[in-house]
Amino acid sequence: MKSSMLKKIGITFLVNFLLSFMLFIFGPSEIFFANAAEFDFVYGDFAGYMSVLAVAAAFILTLILGFLPDKLHRVLLSVIFGISIAGYIQVMFLNKNLDLLGLNPEGYKITPAQSIINLVIWIVIILAVIILALWKKDIWKKILQYISVFLLCIQLVALVSLLVTADEYAYHYQEGKWYLSGENQYVVSANKNVIVLVLDWFSNQYLEPLQAEYPGSTDFLHDFTYYSNMDCTYFGTFPSLPHMLTGNEVDSELTVNEWCAKIWEDDKSVDFYNELHDNNFVANLYTPDTNILCGLNSPEILDDTLSNVVNTADEIDIFYKLLFKTMFKMSAYRMFPESVKPYFYTNIDEYADVVSLRANKVYHNNYDFYQGLIEEGLSVDKKSNYYIVQHLMGPHLLTTNEFGAYKEDATLEETTKGCMVIVEEYLNQLKSLGVYDDAAIIITADHGGVSDSQVIFYIKEPGETHDVTPVTDAPVSFNEFLPTIAELAGLDYTKYGESIHDYDEDSIRERTVWIRWYDENYPTVPCYTGDKDGSSNVYYGYTYTGNIEDLLRKIEGTPDLIEEIVDSYF
């Protein structure tokens, strides 16, 4: 009797530990090592705690099940075992091109048909185990025991392999790390300012629903000219932001790391930033992720270009509660059925908030930047001119309410309205400091959506005033961004290309927008980090003449151009 009870407890703990091992140990570990270059924390920050949590969860479940009647015990243990089996199958065979890094601001999306089929698979697996438990108890016990041991051994071997082959940065923080400092994020020039506010993922198609929900929400931009036909050229913060900042188009024959090294050494970008510095300009870029600009190269490559690149050993704060929550959510999102995944979807900036510098942090989230703007306020530097690129979250993450404060499940309209509140406050503070009138200011986005890849683009030139915002349908793109900045800074922009002012509403122009994509007709390529497959393997190019309606029609069809890539950023 005693031996039988011990065996029952042993099998129960084994089954419970299989599930907790998958959720709290192996899942987070596999996700971490596959994306270690994207994370600012190291493996030791969460591995020990999650391991203890896995054992504790298995022990508590075993204790609870131990007090239940035999039949109920078998049914519940079968459910737990069935979840583990279905979860293993989900991870190995059913997750296709899963967005683990949370790049979609709208969260996890799947068709109802796919969700139902996936859920049926789960139900069939769990019911099969329950039926076996009630009809063939002895066979059921052996299956639970042997398969649990088998799956644990397989995943333990895989875990050891991950631990042994991981790069050093997965375990150790780099001392004296180069990064972009936020020390002067709220400082502008008392003399000459060229300021660009980049609201991530703000398609020009978001303005209509914004105006419908919040009439007059952009009226404060009456001094700006609105370019309603601005093409972002590239979908995605990478490669759009480095393209904007350097004027260099993507070279698909180079790896991400090679291209990122090349663009900052290119004559065009070197000459541009040297001219800025020669004209007493400070060039400050505020974005938290230097990988977007540098790939795996050290941000030291930006040292001669951007003024807020520093190298210090500033201490960091780790928000452990958020770290453990995030790693569990990502693991559950990876393992659970399609119908449940939306509840565990973890946006890219949720884990980006796990680690922050104790000083000189760059504020990227809309509400964080707004709070700092209100509490600290803008101040002026009388010594230098300023070129500022402030990269904010915009509607990439829908967590901003209509007042610019945090809201977990905000609507698109609330978030875009909140963005406008933040921009208005920034402009009002420029006015209070007496530097607004002479400033050149651009309000735009680095990219729109996959199909609606045109972006908002408001520009106010020094001394420009209007009662109502003028609108132009001139066909412009981010290929003209760097020359336009040079023009606004008083440089000879023609050496860098054409500015937006070289086009008007009568201009007829072909433009091509490039969308990263995974095409099954082309071979899979590695991610630029070298530790996993990339989520894309080509750029689709859509060439159009006209405006956003023409682009939307083009993207519904086949691409005009397809460029294979060497590796993928995502």
Side-chain angles (χ1 to χ4, degrees), residues 495-553:
K495 67 174 70 174
Y496 307 111
E498 297 171 312
S499 85
I500 60 171
H501 299 110
D502 291 320
Y503 297 93
D504 57 32
E505 292 187 330
D506 296 325
S507 300
I508 298 174
R509 180 187 185 193
E510 275 195 346
R511 289 168 295 169
T512 299
V513 62
W514 294 94
I515 310 295
R516 64 172 184 265
W517 204 257
Y518 186 86
D519 190 323
E520 294 181 351
N521 296 314
Y522 294 87
T524 299
V525 299
C527 179
Y528 81 105
T529 56
D531 50 13
K532 59 181 176 180
D533 288 340
S535 62
S536 58
N537 59 354
V538 296
Y539 279 111
Y540 280 173
Y542 295 91
T543 301
Y544 67 106
T545 302
N547 55 25
I548 183 64
E549 286 77 18
D550 299 288
L551 174 60
L552 291 171
R553 282 193 294 270

Side-chain angles (χ1 to χ4, degrees), residues 176-344:
K177 184 177 180 180
W178 290 84
Y179 66 95
L180 293 173
S181 169
E183 181 179 6
N184 294 318
Q185 191 163 7
Y186 299 108
V187 178
V188 297
S189 174
N191 306 308
K192 188 171 187 176
N193 290 287
V194 178
I195 300 171
V196 184
L197 301 180
V198 179
L199 304 173
D200 205 302
W201 206 305
F202 205 132
S203 164
N204 60 16
Q205 298 303 286
Y206 295 169
L207 285 183
E208 186 173 341
L210 169 64
Q211 296 286 7
E213 184 74 18
Y214 301 100
S217 54
T218 59
D219 287 353
F220 70 95
L221 294 171
H222 54 82
D223 290 334
F224 289 72
T225 298
Y226 179 60
Y227 280 75
S228 63
N229 195 7
M230 169 58 78
D231 188 319
C232 68
T233 308
Y234 296 101
F235 168 72
T237 302
F238 181 91
S240 181
L241 191 60
H243 169 241
M244 293 167 66
L245 294 169
T246 68
N248 281 264
E249 297 183 16
V250 169
D251 186 340
S252 58
E253 295 183 357
L254 299 178
T255 66
V256 167
N257 295 322
E258 289 169 344
W259 183 71
C260 287
K262 176 178 178 291
I263 60 176
W264 298 102
E265 298 173 349
D266 182 79
D267 289 343
K268 180 187 292 186
S269 56
V270 169
D271 289 348
F272 169 75
Y273 286 99
N274 282 344
E275 275 204 85
L276 279 181
H277 298 317
D278 291 344
N279 283 270
N280 198 34
F281 271 92
V282 167
N284 288 336
L285 167 65
Y286 298 106
T287 189
D289 188 359
T290 54
N291 284 22
I292 289 172
L293 309 172
C294 308
L296 294 181
N297 301 294
S298 168
E300 184 179 4
I301 65 175
L302 308 174
D303 189 32
D304 294 329
T305 304
L306 301 176
S307 306
N308 62 323
V309 178
V310 297
N311 180 9
T312 65
D314 281 355
E315 295 184 358
I316 60 172
D317 283 319
I318 300 174
F319 301 100
Y320 287 100
K321 183 178 179 180
L322 178 61
L323 171 58
F324 303 143
K325 175 186 174 183
T326 300
M327 295 310 296
F328 170 74
K329 281 180 63 181
M330 294 177 79
S331 179
Y333 164 73
R334 166 182 171 271
M335 178 178 170
F336 286 162
E338 308 288 359
S339 56
V340 179
K341 288 188 190 298
Y343 300 102
F344 294 100

Side-chain angles (χ1 to χ4, degrees), residues 29-175:
S29 297
E30 191 168 47
I31 291 167
F32 173 80
F33 287 117
N35 301 282
E38 308 295 333
F39 297 131
D40 291 326
F41 48 90
V42 297
Y43 187 63
D45 289 333
F46 68 90
Y49 176 90
M50 301 291 272
S51 299
V52 172
L53 188 59
V55 175
F59 178 79
I60 293 170
L61 272 175
T62 302
L63 191 64
I64 293 172
L65 294 180
F67 288 99
L68 298 177
D70 182 62
K71 185 174 287 188
L72 182 58
H73 170 270
R74 279 183 280 152
V75 169
L76 292 180
L77 195 61
S78 296
V79 171
I80 293 171
F81 180 74
I83 290 173
S84 299
I85 297 300
Y88 183 81
I89 293 172
Q90 182 75 43
V91 171
M92 295 299 295
F93 306 108
L94 303 181
N95 288 340
K96 293 185 178 180
N97 299 320
L98 194 64
D99 175 20
L100 274 176
L101 292 180
L103 302 174
N104 183 5
E106 297 179 353
Y108 184 75
K109 299 294 182 183
I110 193 172
T111 65
Q114 289 174 292
S115 180
I116 291 171
I117 293 171
N118 185 255
L119 188 59
V120 167
I121 294 172
W122 274 72
I123 292 172
V124 168
I125 292 171
I126 294 171
L127 283 178
V129 182
I130 293 174
I131 291 170
L132 189 64
L134 297 177
W135 284 5
K136 299 289 184 180
K137 182 178 177 179
D138 291 339
I139 297 176
W140 170 80
K141 283 183 180 178
K142 289 180 180 179
I143 287 176
L144 259 63
Q145 184 177 351
Y146 294 142
I147 292 183
S148 294
V149 170
F150 176 71
L151 290 181
L152 277 171
C153 288
I154 287 177
Q155 292 174 95
L156 278 169
V157 170
L159 178 59
V160 170
S161 176
L162 290 172
L163 293 170
V164 171
T165 58
D167 290 314
E168 186 178 354
Y169 58 72
Y171 298 110
H172 303 289
Y173 287 104
Q174 183 179 347
E175 294 184 6

